[in-house]
Amino acid sequence: MTRFRIAIDGPSGAGKSTVARQVAQRLGYLYIDTGAMYRAVGLKVTREQLAWDQTDAIVEAARRAQIELKTGPRGLRVFLDGVDVSEVIRTETAGQAASRVSSIPGVRKILVQAQQELGKRGRVVMEGRDIGTKVFPEAELKVFLDASESTRARRRFTQNRNKREALNLGSILEEIRQRDRRDRERTDSPLVQARDALYLETSNQTVDEVVEKILKMVGLVEGKSGSG
Ligand code: DC
C-alpha cells in the first residue's frame, strides 16, 4: 500500500520517539517527529523573548519559522532557520515552551498543515499528540502509546542524565504532570486516544516488544487491504 501512514500518539515519555524511529527504520518509511516542530517554534519564541500572552506575535513567529527535519547518519536532525537545533530543543525548558506554544490554535494550524504536506505521499511514521485525531484521521494504522507516570518520569530521567540541564526524578515527574495536564486540557486538539487507535501500555514492555507488535499490526492491516 503506497499511501500507508502510521500515526503514533501518546503522552510525553511513553516511548513514542524510540518506537516510531525503529518502526520507520524497519519499514524503510519516513520518520516525522512532530513534537520537534513544536519545540523549534517554542525555541524561536523564547529567543525572540516574546511573552506567552502575545499570541499574535507567537503565531507570526511560527509562520516565519523555517523548520526542516533531516534524517542522516546521526539520526533525525532538526533545523530552525537554517541552524541545527537538534540538541537545544531537547531540554525540559524547551519541552515546556513547546507545550505552551502548542496550545495556541494559530500555531497548530500552521504546523498541522506542514505535517500533512510532509506525510501526504504516505510510507510515513508520524508521532505526536494529535496525529490520529487531527493530522491524519484517515491513517491506515493508529497507535496510542501509554505508560504509567512513574515509568515515563524514569525514562526521561535516564535519557537526560548526561545533559547539562539534568533534573532530579521528582522535578521531572512534576514537569511531566504539568505538561500532560496542559496537553490533555487544551481546547484545540487535546491529547486523546483516537477511537480506532490500538492502545499499548508500555510500562512493562521493552522497545523491541512494542516495535514487533506494531510491525505485526502493519502486516495485518496491509493483508486485510489486499494490496500488500
Ligand atoms: O513529543 P514532545 O515531548 O517532543 O512534544 C513537545 C510538546 O509539543 C508537547 O508537550 C505537546 C506538543 N505537541 C503537540 O501539541 N502536538 C503534537 N503533534 C506534538 C507535540
Side-chain angles (χ1 to χ4, degrees), residues 161-214:
R161 197 176 281 164
N162 302 321
K163 289 188 188 158
R164 196 144 44 97
E165 202 204 28
L167 296 172
N168 65 40
L169 195 55
S171 322
I172 292 185
L173 188 62
E174 194 36 49
E175 298 245 25
I176 279 193
R177 284 195 179 132
Q178 243 185 47
R179 196 131 72 87
D180 272 3
R181 205 175 311 125
R182 201 182 293 123
D183 294 345
R184 290 182 200 269
E185 289 176 3
R186 66 176 177 233
T187 36
D188 185 5
S189 321
L191 168 67
V192 283
Q193 182 188 341
R195 286 217 323 275
D196 49 352
L198 168 75
Y199 180 83
L200 289 180
E201 219 289 344
T202 69
S203 301
N204 297 309
Q205 294 188 63
T206 64
V207 170
D208 284 351
E209 284 169 334
V210 179
V211 169
E212 289 306 327
K213 273 190 188 153
I214 296 176

Side-chain angles (χ1 to χ4, degrees), residues 4-61:
F4 209 95
R5 291 154 299 185
I6 302 174
I8 301 187
D9 291 301
S12 54
K16 296 187 303 288
S17 300
T18 318
V19 167
R21 200 180 312 120
Q22 291 197 16
V23 169
Q25 228 165 33
R26 293 273 294 272
L27 295 169
Y29 279 20
L30 182 66
Y31 161 59
I32 294 170
D33 172 2
T34 62
M37 299 168 81
Y38 288 95
R39 284 170 182 266
V41 172
L43 182 68
K44 191 170 174 79
V45 166
T46 312
R47 286 185 173 166
E48 295 190 3
Q49 299 186 340
L50 299 170
W52 297 121
D53 59 359
Q54 286 180 277
T55 9
D56 290 349
I58 294 177
V59 173
E60 196 39 47

Side-chain angles (χ1 to χ4, degrees), residues 23-159:
V23 169
Q25 228 165 33
R26 293 273 294 272
L27 295 169
Y29 279 20
L30 182 66
Y31 161 59
I32 294 170
D33 172 2
T34 62
M37 299 168 81
Y38 288 95
R39 284 170 182 266
V41 172
L43 182 68
K44 191 170 174 79
V45 166
T46 312
R47 286 185 173 166
E48 295 190 3
Q49 299 186 340
L50 299 170
W52 297 121
D53 59 359
Q54 286 180 277
T55 9
D56 290 349
I58 294 177
V59 173
E60 196 39 47
R63 205 184 309 281
R64 277 187 280 113
Q66 301 273 345
I67 303 167
E68 286 170 284
L69 303 181
K70 294 181 190 168
T71 307
R74 290 167 70 203
L76 180 87
R77 306 303 293 177
V78 184
F79 291 79
L80 170 65
D81 300 328
V83 180
D84 188 337
V85 294
S86 313
E87 271 84 36
V88 260
I89 58 163
R90 293 297 159 199
T91 61
E92 282 304 319
T93 319
Q96 290 287 350
S99 177
R100 280 177 181 277
V101 297
S102 74
S103 66
I104 302 171
V107 171
R108 301 203 69 84
K109 197 166 166 216
I110 293 165
L111 292 189
V112 166
Q113 264 173 13
Q115 290 153 12
Q116 288 170 334
E117 184 62 29
L118 286 170
K120 71 177 181 198
R121 282 186 208 89
R123 298 180 62 81
V124 64
V125 182
M126 197 175 279
E127 59 134 314
R129 304 291 189 288
D130 60 341
I131 311 307
T133 51
K134 271 278 152 100
V135 181
F136 289 122
E138 268 109 51
E140 283 69 20
L141 178 63
K142 300 180 189 178
V143 179
F144 193 89
L145 283 192
D146 208 353
S148 69
E149 247 179 17
S150 58
T151 306
R152 296 192 282 122
R154 221 171 334 101
R155 286 179 185 163
R156 266 286 133 79
F157 178 68
T158 316
Q159 236 174 29

